[in-house]
Amino acid sequence: MTFGEQPAYLRVAGDLRKKIVDGRLPPHTRLPSQARIREEYGVSDTVALEARKVLMAEGLVEGRSGSGTYVRERPVPRRVARSGFRPERGATPFRQEQADAGARGTWESSSEQAEASDAVAGRLGIEPGDRVMRTTYLFREAGEPMMLSTSWEPLALTGRTPVMLPEEGPLGGMGVVERMRAIDVIVDNVTEEVGARPGLAEELVLLGGVPGHVVLVIERTYFASGRPVETADVIIPADRYRAAYHLPVK
């Protein structure tokens, strides 16, 4: 194979992908069998199998037990608005963004005390093993799972205060900015780092994806006078949603 030349299985997968994208293989159509691919492209069984694996890993096709491999319905990506904190409105970013879009969003949450891992401790500027409040969320839009989030807050800051539990108490569900203000901690900055990776099995089960699907991972951290007061991992299925940022000019 010369420099720049694709392996045979990638060339076959690329041609089949093009047929899926341009509609020659529409959703719910059965993908050509391994024998048909071998015959049509003049390749071995191994190459045909690897090409099918590529399309499955990309989420373009799915296997149906006892029936074969079929082209998946391709969802039209929707937007998840990311606009930072809104201290003047006293709502969580998700609640405010859903209201702005006229969407019907709900969420489920669960909080528990935990020890900070090395990674979380580094993001919060605390020691590994320090106690944190870990809260997990599953967000839905019109009943459909759309986003996961796990947040961590140092109990050295919020412990034994009315805002120790993010979703309970007088300010439950009001968001980091409003809750921190209640204990005289003024949030003045938020950062988000965006990456992508294959979704973990437990994430895809909750989000309704299939193995191999890619997720967006947003690492968000709130700061007060340079001190991290909350950090979170936000997980979004990349095949169904795009993170859309509104960045006001000051």
Side-chain angles (χ1 to χ4, degrees):
M1 184 174 67
T2 60
F3 178 75
E5 183 182 354
Q6 284 188 320
Y9 76 95
L10 289 181
R11 294 199 304 273
V12 174
D15 188 68
L16 291 170
R17 183 190 303 111
K18 187 173 186 301
K19 291 179 179 179
I20 292 171
V21 171
D22 66 20
R24 282 179 287 165
L25 285 173
H28 312 297
T29 299
R30 192 174 188 271
L31 196 70
S33 67
Q34 188 169 312
R36 177 70 179 275
I37 292 174
R38 182 189 63 211
E39 179 182 344
E40 182 176 345
Y41 292 94
V43 296
S44 67
D45 280 333
T46 300
V47 169
L49 178 61
E50 290 302 312
R52 289 157 64 92
K53 286 182 179 179
V54 168
L55 298 177
M56 192 168 292
E58 293 175 351
L60 294 174
V61 301
E62 61 184 354
R64 299 179 186 175
S65 179
S67 178
T69 304
Y70 291 80
V71 178
R72 296 183 69 243
E73 188 81 42
R74 298 180 65 209
V76 177
R78 287 171 281 178
R79 298 172 60 224
V80 175
R82 309 295 301 173
S83 52
F85 62 85
R86 299 169 179 261
E88 76 281 2
R89 301 197 189 186
T92 64
F94 176 76
R95 180 182 291 167
Q96 186 60 57
E97 288 153 5
Q98 289 280 296
D100 290 349
R104 294 181 290 114
T106 60
W107 66 90
E108 305 155 20
S109 66
S110 175
S111 295
E112 63 179 353
Q113 295 189 32
E115 294 183 355
S117 66
D118 290 351
V120 168
R123 287 160 59 175
L124 286 174
I126 59 179
E127 294 296 321
D130 282 358
R131 304 296 291 176
V132 293
M133 184 62 70
R134 179 177 62 207
T135 304
T136 57
Y137 296 87
L138 170 60
F139 296 92
R140 301 178 186 273
E141 183 179 60
E144 176 187 329
M146 63 171 292
M147 184 167 62
L148 300 173
S149 177
T150 302
S151 70
W152 298 269
E153 295 179 352
L155 284 171
L157 177 66
T158 62
R160 299 181 183 275
T161 74
V163 301
M164 184 173 75
L165 294 169
E167 295 295 321
E168 297 181 24
L171 293 177
M174 292 303 291
V176 176
V177 175
E178 191 74 10
R179 291 173 47 250
M180 292 297 170
R181 183 189 290 122
I183 56 173
D184 297 322
V185 175
I186 306 304
V187 173
D188 54 19
N189 191 27
V190 58
T191 65
E192 292 195 347
E193 296 184 10
V194 184
R197 59 166 171 76
L200 304 178
E202 56 267 31
E203 294 168 344
L204 296 176
V205 165
L206 292 171
L207 291 171
V210 299
H213 271 191
V214 172
V215 294
L216 298 178
V217 182
I218 301 174
E219 293 186 3
R220 182 198 68 209
T221 304
Y222 284 99
F223 295 85
S225 300
R227 176 187 182 181
V229 298
E230 188 257 22
T231 194
D233 286 341
V234 180
I235 309 296
I236 302 170
D239 65 322
R240 284 180 279 149
Y241 291 93
R242 298 287 184 267
Y245 282 82
H246 171 68
L247 304 174
V249 178
K250 295 184 178 180

